[in-house]
Amino acid sequence: MSVRKSLSAVAVALVAALAATGCGGSGSGDSGKTTVTMWIYPVIVDEAKHRAHWDETVKAFQSANPNIEVKTEIFPWANRDQALATAIAGNKGPDVVYLIPDQLPKYARNIEPVDKYLEDAAKSDYHENVTKSVSIDGKMMGAPILTSAATPICNKKVFAAVGETTYPTSWNDLLTLAPKFKAKGYDIAAYPGDSKQTLNQTFYPLMWSAGGDVFSPDGTSVAFNSDAAKKALTFVKQLVDGGYVDKSLITNVPSIEQTRIGQNKVGCVWHVPVAEVEKLWGKENIQAVPHFTDVKQIGYGTVGSLSMLKGAKNKEAAGKWIAFATNAENTKKYDLASNFFSPRKSTGTLYAGDPVLSVQEQQVATSTVGPLHEKARDVQGVLFPEIQAALLGKKSVEQALDDAAKAAAPLLR
Amino acid sequence: MTDTITPPATAAPATERPRRARRPYLADRAGRGWVIGRTALLLAGAVLTLFPFYAMVVLSLKPTGPVTFPDSLLPWPFSTEAYDQVIGAKSVLRWMGNTLVYSVVSVVGVLLFASMAGYAFAKKRFPGKETMFWSFLAMLMVPYHVTMIPTFIIISELNGVDTYWGMIVPTLANAQAVFLMRQFIASLPDSLFEAARLDGCSEWRVYVSIVLPLIKPILATLGVFVFLWHWNDFLWPLIVGQSLDMRTLTTGIASLQQENVPLNMLLAGSVVAFVPIFMAYLIGQRYFQEGVSTTGIKG
């Protein structure tokens, strides 16, 4: 083929492809119909089940609201904040989006509070700590649809190999058991120090139970250089220095299958979800235990909620959809399918017969979502390397936390 | 050199082929040793290079479980559970098609526009040429994430969100491609272009009949790289392709996975995304290698 012919073919292909613009994308709905778009993430791991849940819920909603069309898009977890923030900036964000409390302060300016779209009975049905975790300045920034409780979980197989029958209930119990585990070639726990983890699940639970907090009560300064935080970090350092945890995890976190956790060499962990170790340990070998105690009993747990963005084209329609999707009946269905817990009182206990989930379900009330502060994630960014420095012996615990507090101060101005 | 000494010509009959002197024993042994050493080194290099690919395939074909060395690198136990989940999604063919459209059309567009711009910057004279070229080149210094939101806003204003063109058009202005084209075309002799003009060729004819045939090697090299960039691209297709129907393979597979993806599933996804690009590499292998050695760019 001559060059000219090739070029013509190329040009035709290019124009044809670009003209295919009309092939993709979603236009407005049929005339007279309002479309509500919702972005959700793979909360239910099985994609077919997840899609079926929403298809069914949308169908039920539309039979009662024939003029409202609902489109649900399941987005990947990866880069979800970049995708959402960019879409909002371009005024192409969804009407409704699934957010967790960690994200709420960041998007607060773009979120329409949902209080007025939910009935009073529905609002009072939420557990008190759940409502608090999605509220900013007294306004609900999302309608909760699920909760979780990241309680510690222990490996029965490892405990049996060590000859230990009592499971720890406090942080101090871990230190007491640690030498026995080490002598048998096992680690009592694991502490991942890599910044890919969130401190909400690694260091903060220790600090909270020691009586500390991330921010001062008014939120104008950090509080993680307190005595409680120093006590918590000293505890982790004792585990590291004693050789009771895998030191390599402080700087690098490979996939769990490649760690001693996945290889059934670790006694208890408090940062790993049950679903992640289920196939590695065997469900029958998972022993969930209540949040560890020190000064108080507390641990991390999240709340998933459906929030409405201020750019929603039809707020009434979006509000109706949020109220319907998060009502008690639909919430219960969604939570059972995703192995999460209900944020509502009226749904009762969902997992009474499950030895693992029932323990976790009982801990929802003693779980916290972490600080609802706009700079919460930024502050984690400066705290991570200082914790690593302390654990690697490059700084003292006091020095590391004081340095982190100094580095965090400009972020809060 | 001791191992190339030949006897004097007079010492052998004219009809007899000059006999090669036997290498001294030690030198011979050293030569063999070098060959063996070099081969061993190359084999070790080949094994090291292939090992991650082998591990990717083998681990993707394992049931979910702990990974221990060396047991996990054996091909058994064998399981396709990860693939069932990755390619079991009913939209996977659609995603594959979208990825092909995104990659192929972008390759064609980038090559077309970059070659035209490269020709203009290399061989044409017009006011502000250098300023324009260096300004264009300055785009290379601006990180992609800085321009992402403004680009999205422009595409959004033009109603390009969730469309093929919205995904493709912003990637067509590729400063790196223009720079490479300009450098390559600048090395072509000016006399060719002068002769063509003397023969009455129009600019379009010069571009089509002189420039394009002569820049085939760089077109092929760049084509392979641009295809690779687009095939593996994640963030831009994620942001622009908002609906399920507009997902590419990378974003579609990611949406099937939980937050903490099991290793076998992660690797199964990598294999699925890797196979087509590997085929493209096999087809354009020569150009890819030439590209790495002559331009210094890497996939």
Side-chain angles (χ1 to χ4, degrees):
Chain A
M1 208 197 299
S2 73
V3 173
R4 180 179 287 200
K5 277 184 184 169
S6 313
L7 191 69
S8 304
V10 160
V12 168
L14 187 63
V15 170
L18 293 179
T21 303
C23 296
S26 56
S28 55
D30 299 336
S31 57
K33 271 195 174 184
T34 301
T35 304
V36 174
T37 309
M38 179 175 79
W39 286 9
I40 191 103
Y41 303 92
V43 173
I44 298 175
V45 178
D46 185 328
E47 191 242 2
K49 263 192 200 169
H50 198 189
R51 197 153 283 287
H53 170 87
W54 289 115
D55 288 349
E56 207 177 288
T57 311
V58 167
K59 203 175 161 190
F61 176 73
Q62 283 179 337
S63 65
N65 300 276
N67 289 328
I68 305 174
E69 196 181 336
V70 180
K71 281 186 179 173
T72 54
E73 300 293 356
I74 302 174
F75 267 65
W77 290 111
N79 297 92
R80 67 187 195 272
D81 279 324
Q82 280 113 315
L84 182 61
T86 311
I88 291 172
N91 204 22
K92 289 285 178 187
D95 302 304
V96 178
V97 62
Y98 174 92
L99 295 175
I100 59 169
D102 217 17
Q103 296 171 293
L104 293 176
K106 217 149 208 169
Y107 295 106
R109 272 170 290 177
N110 307 103
I111 295 176
E112 173 81 17
V114 292
D115 303 73
K116 70 173 178 180
Y117 303 99
L118 302 177
E119 288 176 10
D120 288 342
K123 282 189 277 185
S124 59
D125 190 23
Y126 289 121
H127 293 291
E128 207 177 306
N129 64 336
V130 167
T131 307
K132 203 175 152 194
S133 66
V134 296
S135 299
I136 295 177
D137 297 333
K139 290 175 183 164
M140 285 181 76
M141 307 306 274
I145 190 168
L146 62 85
T147 61
S148 75
T151 68
I153 44 174
C154 299
N155 191 329
K156 287 183 190 172
K157 220 190 303 185
V158 172
F159 272 69
V162 173
E164 185 59 53
T165 50
T166 313
Y167 292 97
T169 57
S170 69
W171 298 106
N172 269 337
D173 284 351
L174 290 181
L175 272 183
T176 311
L177 290 169
K180 192 174 176 183
F181 276 66
K182 188 182 175 186
K184 297 266 184 178
Y186 293 91
D187 302 337
I188 183 62
Y191 183 84
D194 188 271
S195 60
K196 283 178 200 155
Q197 299 285 333
T198 160
L199 289 175
N200 281 332
Q201 287 178 277
T202 55
F203 180 65
Y204 289 169
L206 278 151
M207 185 175 68
W208 293 327
S209 63
D213 210 343
V214 184
F215 294 99
S216 61
D218 63 0
T220 55
S221 61
V222 292
F224 52 60
N225 50 347
S226 62
D227 288 344
K230 284 170 187 167
K231 183 183 174 188
L233 188 51
T234 304
F235 167 82
V236 183
K237 193 161 166 51
Q238 279 175 299
L239 288 178
V240 174
D241 291 348
Y244 304 136
V245 294
D246 180 0
K247 205 172 175 179
S248 69
L249 289 188
I250 295 168
T251 47
N252 176 40
V253 180
S255 73
I256 193 162
E257 292 90 339
Q258 294 168 288
T259 64
R260 286 173 66 79
I261 304 167
Q263 289 159 5
N264 291 280
K265 296 282 184 193
V266 175
C268 300
V269 286
W270 61 91
H271 68 282
V272 183
V274 169
E276 216 177 317
V277 291
E278 212 170 297
K279 284 192 173 171
L280 301 170
W281 294 2
K283 195 171 180 184
E284 67 285 0
N285 290 317
I286 299 174
Q287 176 70 49
V289 294
H291 290 308
F292 289 149
T293 53
D294 185 18
V295 174
K296 58 180 172 178
Q297 189 187 29
I298 190 168
Y300 177 73
T302 195
V303 173
S305 60
L306 298 186
S307 297
M308 187 194 305
L309 294 182
K310 278 192 174 148
K313 288 168 282 297
N314 187 329
K315 287 180 184 158
E316 283 305 317
K320 268 188 185 176
W321 163 246
I322 288 176
F324 182 82
T326 62
N327 70 22
E329 187 191 343
N330 288 323
T331 292
K332 189 175 176 178
K333 269 194 231 166
Y334 197 56
D335 295 340
L336 282 169
S338 59
N339 281 350
F340 281 103
F341 311 116
S342 174
R344 292 179 175 276
K345 296 171 206 158
S346 64
T347 45
T349 306
L350 301 185
Y351 301 99
D354 188 305
V356 176
L357 296 178
S358 62
V359 175
Q360 296 198 313
E361 191 170 27
Q362 285 165 19
Q363 295 296 304
V364 168
T366 55
S367 301
T368 175
V369 295
L372 281 183
H373 195 288
E374 195 183 351
K375 297 291 180 184
R377 288 192 182 189
D378 305 283
V379 161
Q380 286 195 17
V382 297
L383 187 50
F384 261 116
E386 296 297 342
I387 289 177
Q388 281 181 329
L391 298 181
L392 295 172
K394 292 180 180 169
K395 284 184 183 181
S396 68
V397 164
E398 291 76 15
Q399 187 67 50
L401 292 176
D402 287 343
D403 287 352
K406 270 183 213 156
L411 297 172
L412 303 179
R413 275 181 206 141
Chain B
M1 284 160 67
T2 52
D3 60 347
T4 55
I5 294 169
T6 51
T10 51
T15 52
E16 202 178 313
R17 287 175 66 191
R19 274 168 51 191
R20 241 182 123 192
R22 281 177 67 88
R23 290 178 178 184
Y25 178 71
L26 281 175
D28 217 21
R29 219 175 133 191
R32 267 206 310 272
W34 164 238
V35 170
I36 292 168
R38 195 178 53 182
T39 310
L41 205 67
L42 287 172
L43 269 174
V47 168
L48 280 175
T49 310
L50 287 174
F51 178 75
F53 295 97
Y54 171 78
M56 175 174 78
V57 175
V58 167
L59 292 174
S60 70
L61 288 166
K62 295 261 176 196
T64 305
V67 173
T68 50
F69 184 78
D71 299 0
S72 296
L73 293 174
L74 300 173
W76 57 86
F78 178 87
S79 165
T80 57
E81 69 171 61
Y83 285 90
D84 291 344
Q85 197 155 353
V86 169
I87 54 181
K90 57 183 178 185
S91 303
V92 80
L93 280 177
R94 168 93 199 189
W95 299 339
M96 183 97 65
N98 289 343
T99 314
L100 269 175
V101 170
Y102 179 50
S103 306
V104 173
V105 177
S106 298
V107 167
V108 172
V110 168
L111 295 186
L112 185 68
F113 295 128
S115 61
M116 285 177 167
Y119 168 53
F121 283 131
K123 296 294 180 189
K124 303 299 292 177
R125 287 188 201 154
F126 53 89
K129 181 173 99 169
E130 288 304 309
T131 314
M132 202 187 287
F133 176 69
W134 289 108
S135 310
F136 194 68
L137 209 60
M139 279 169 65
L140 283 174
M141 313 297 163
V142 183
Y144 168 66
H145 291 83
V146 173
T147 57
M148 190 176 71
I149 291 181
T151 309
F152 180 81
I153 292 172
I154 294 170
I155 291 299
S156 165
E157 291 295 319
L158 296 170
N159 287 324
V161 175
D162 223 24
T163 65
Y164 287 121
W165 75 259
M167 212 186 283
I168 293 165
V169 168
T171 68
L172 298 184
N174 187 316
Q176 198 169 4
V178 171
F179 176 71
L180 289 173
M181 284 291 180
R182 188 245 197 194
Q183 297 307 96
F184 194 89
I185 296 170
S187 67
L188 302 176
D190 288 340
S191 53
L192 278 173
F193 300 93
E194 283 160 14
R197 282 188 198 105
L198 284 174
D199 283 348
C201 281
S202 64
E203 277 308 325
W204 177 247
R205 182 71 189 268
V206 171
Y207 170 71
V208 172
S209 304
I210 310 285
V211 178
L212 283 184
L214 290 174
I215 62 168
K216 273 183 192 166
I218 192 77
L219 284 176
T221 303
L222 204 57
V224 173
F225 283 110
V226 175
F227 187 83
L228 271 171
W229 294 332
H230 284 79
W231 187 270
N232 294 324
D233 198 5
F234 183 84
L235 195 53
W236 183 246
L238 173 74
I239 289 165
V240 179
Q242 294 187 347
S243 68
L244 182 74
D245 283 350
M246 286 304 292
R247 295 271 153 80
T248 57
L249 209 51
T250 49
T251 58
I253 287 175
S255 70
L256 302 178
Q257 298 165 343
Q258 55 184 307
E259 216 166 352
N260 299 300
V261 188
L263 186 67
N264 57 349
M265 213 169 128
L266 187 79
L267 294 174
S270 303
V271 171
V272 169
F274 166 77
V275 168
I277 203 70
F278 182 60
M279 304 301 283
Y281 171 75
L282 287 182
I283 294 165
Q285 187 180 11
R286 185 161 66 92
Y287 303 110
F288 187 85
Q289 286 163 351
E290 280 172 9
V292 171
S293 58
T294 58
T295 65
I297 50 174
K298 291 172 187 163

